[in-house]
């Protein structure tokens, strides 16, 4: 059995400062998180049965009765963080600058109920940041660039009962966004972005070979992953007859690599999708809508040795 529960709290204070040539939206805040997980396992290495020689000696050597468990852990992960951010607007909203700092103080304590021992992990306070710029040549178009780093606390334990390691990452991104562009009697929306990001100790679910030869899915962590690429999406809305027609198209293409320089497992290099919908907004069919769409992924690496791909 595995159980996990937690409590979180957050408080924020927002203040708008209007000066002669600049408007500043200032925010400060703090949050606290307290998560407790309990892990009780019975782990036994059983030798696979050799059906060719019909040797049952390994089975015969097994105990008639097992204890309830041979691993019993309680893990308590806590985090306190606080931040300050300033969003400054110049030239009537045409130029916008944002900068923010966050301080994170995590800690983890684990108690082994079988050995009655306790281990504590209390690293130094982490500081993360983000800053960027948004330029609006016209009200419907924004060009932006941003850079930031992040720190993520991973609560719980892996299949061996070891506490999951926390993640650190960073991202650089720039792109273009537009909305409410009048085209053909309707409105066009689109955005495109280039990104370069990396994250350590990525928490995921993946296959793990156990000693009896069966493959099961467990909580895993990859050492580090990087992803570099771009994405695009476009939407269009047009009133036709008693209703409205909407469509959205998306496309994503990126190279994602693991810490060993191999393509990240279960990560497609390109993804595309579309969706079409028509909604009745008046008349006897008001409220009725219908649509269809599709979602397509490129092939994915299934194993870290590159011998198997998912189509």
């Amino acid at each position: 059995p595995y159980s996990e529960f937690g409590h979180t709290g957050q408080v924020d204070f927002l203040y708008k400062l209007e000066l002669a040539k600049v408007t500043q939206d200032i925010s400060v805040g703090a949050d606290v998180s307290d998560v407790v997980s309990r892990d009780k396992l019975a782990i036994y290495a059983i030798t696979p049965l050799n059906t060719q020689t019909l040797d049952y000696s390994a089975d015969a050597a097994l105990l008639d009765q097992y204890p309830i468990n041979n691993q019993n852990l309680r893990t308590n992960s806590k985090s306190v963080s606080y931040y300050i951010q300033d969003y400054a607007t110049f030239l009537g909203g045409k130029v916008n600058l944002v900068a923010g700092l966050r301080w994170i103080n995590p800690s983890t304590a684990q108690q082994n109920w079988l050995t009655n021992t306790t281990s504590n992990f209390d690293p130094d306070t982490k500081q993360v940041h983000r800053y960027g710029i948004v330029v609006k040549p016209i009200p419907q178009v924004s060009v932006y660039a941003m850079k930031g780093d992040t720190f993520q606390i991973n609560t719980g334990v892996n299949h061996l009962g070891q506490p999951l390691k926390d993640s650190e990452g960073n991202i650089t991104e720039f792109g273009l966004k537009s909305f409410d562009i009048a085209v053909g009697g309707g409105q066009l929306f689109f955005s495109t972005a280039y990104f370069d990001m990396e994250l350590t100790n990525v928490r995921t679910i993946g296959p793990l070979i156990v000693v009896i030869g069966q493959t099961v899915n467990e909580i895993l962590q990859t050492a580090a992953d990087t992803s570099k690429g771009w994405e695009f999406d476009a939407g269009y809305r047009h009133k036709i007859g008693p209703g409205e027609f909407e469509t959205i198209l998306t496309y994503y293409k990126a190279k994602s690599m693991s810490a060993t320089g191999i393509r990240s497992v279960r990560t497609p290099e390109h993804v595309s999708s579309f969706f079409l919908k028509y909604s009745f907004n008046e008349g006897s069919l008001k409220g009725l809508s219908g649509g269809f769409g599709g979602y397509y992924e490129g092939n994915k690496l299934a194993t870290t040795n590159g011998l198997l791909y998912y189509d």
Side-chain angles (χ1 to χ4, degrees):
Y2 177 85
S3 62
E4 181 175 298
F5 64 92
H7 305 279
T8 60
Q10 178 178 332
V11 59
D12 299 284
F13 176 74
L14 312 177
Y15 183 73
K16 191 168 187 176
L17 178 63
E18 295 191 15
L19 303 176
K21 296 184 179 181
V22 59
T23 299
Q24 291 180 292
D25 287 306
I26 303 171
S27 57
V28 296
D31 59 74
V32 59
S33 172
D34 189 355
V35 178
V36 176
S37 61
R38 186 70 183 270
D39 186 24
K40 300 173 70 176
L41 294 175
I43 302 176
Y44 299 96
I46 303 175
T47 304
L49 179 63
N50 188 341
T51 57
Q52 293 181 344
T53 61
L54 296 180
D55 180 6
Y56 294 98
S57 59
D59 275 9
L62 296 177
L63 298 176
D64 293 332
Q65 292 183 339
Y66 290 119
I68 297 176
N69 58 74
N70 58 2
Q71 178 171 291
N72 191 344
L73 301 173
R74 180 182 185 272
T75 305
N76 186 201
S77 302
K78 297 181 179 180
S79 171
V80 177
S81 75
Y82 44 96
Y83 78 93
I84 181 170
Q85 179 175 284
D86 185 16
Y87 191 91
T89 301
F90 303 86
L91 302 177
K94 290 187 176 182
V95 178
N96 307 270
L97 300 177
V98 61
L101 289 174
R102 179 180 288 272
W103 293 265
I104 306 171
N105 186 10
S107 63
T108 301
Q110 187 175 76
Q111 183 175 1
N112 187 326
W113 291 89
L114 296 181
T115 61
N116 198 27
T117 58
T118 302
S119 59
N120 295 286
F121 181 68
D122 190 8
D124 296 334
T125 299
K126 301 285 186 178
Q127 178 182 306
V128 296
H129 71 276
R130 70 169 179 173
Y131 52 86
I133 181 172
V134 182
V135 178
K136 294 185 176 183
I138 59 175
Q140 294 87 359
V141 176
S142 298
V143 181
Y144 72 93
M146 64 85 67
K147 184 176 179 62
D149 56 16
T150 184
F151 178 81
Q152 175 179 313
I153 296 174
N154 292 308
T155 61
V157 296
N158 63 12
H159 61 284
L160 299 176
Q162 300 165 339
L164 297 178
K165 298 178 181 178
D166 296 327
S167 299
E168 296 185 54
N170 59 70
I171 181 173
T172 301
E173 179 180 330
F174 56 88
L176 169 69
K177 294 183 179 182
S178 68
F179 58 95
D180 277 344
I181 304 295
V183 176
Q187 292 82 42
L188 175 68
F189 310 79
F190 71 90
S191 68
T192 184
Y194 171 83
F195 57 86
D196 185 354
M197 55 187 178
E198 59 183 25
L199 186 67
T200 66
N201 300 319
V202 181
R203 177 173 176 167
T204 183
I205 301 293
L208 183 75
I209 304 298
V210 295
V211 294
I212 57 176
Q214 296 177 329
T215 302
V216 295
N217 285 329
E218 296 281 358
I219 297 176
L220 305 175
Q221 281 189 299
T222 62
D225 282 280
T226 61
S227 187
K228 182 186 298 186
W230 65 280
E231 57 188 4
F232 170 82
D233 61 78
Y236 184 69
R237 179 186 297 125
H238 194 288
K239 180 174 174 57
I240 301 177
E244 194 171 57
F245 166 81
E246 292 177 288
T247 183
I248 185 168
L249 310 171
T250 72
Y251 183 74
Y252 158 93
K253 183 175 178 62
K255 287 282 188 181
S256 300
M257 307 293 290
S258 67
T260 57
I262 298 177
R263 179 176 169 182
S264 297
V265 177
R266 296 178 297 279
T267 304
E269 290 190 347
H270 56 86
V271 179
S272 59
S273 70
F274 73 94
F275 189 72
L276 307 172
K277 185 179 73 171
Y278 185 81
S279 303
F280 292 92
N281 298 328
E282 56 188 59
S284 59
L285 296 179
K286 182 179 179 180
L288 178 66
S289 64
F292 66 94
Y295 181 87
Y296 304 92
E297 287 187 345
N299 61 21
K300 294 179 287 186
L301 185 63
T303 55
T304 55
N305 57 17
L307 300 179
L308 179 64
Y309 281 83
Y310 292 124
D311 199 355

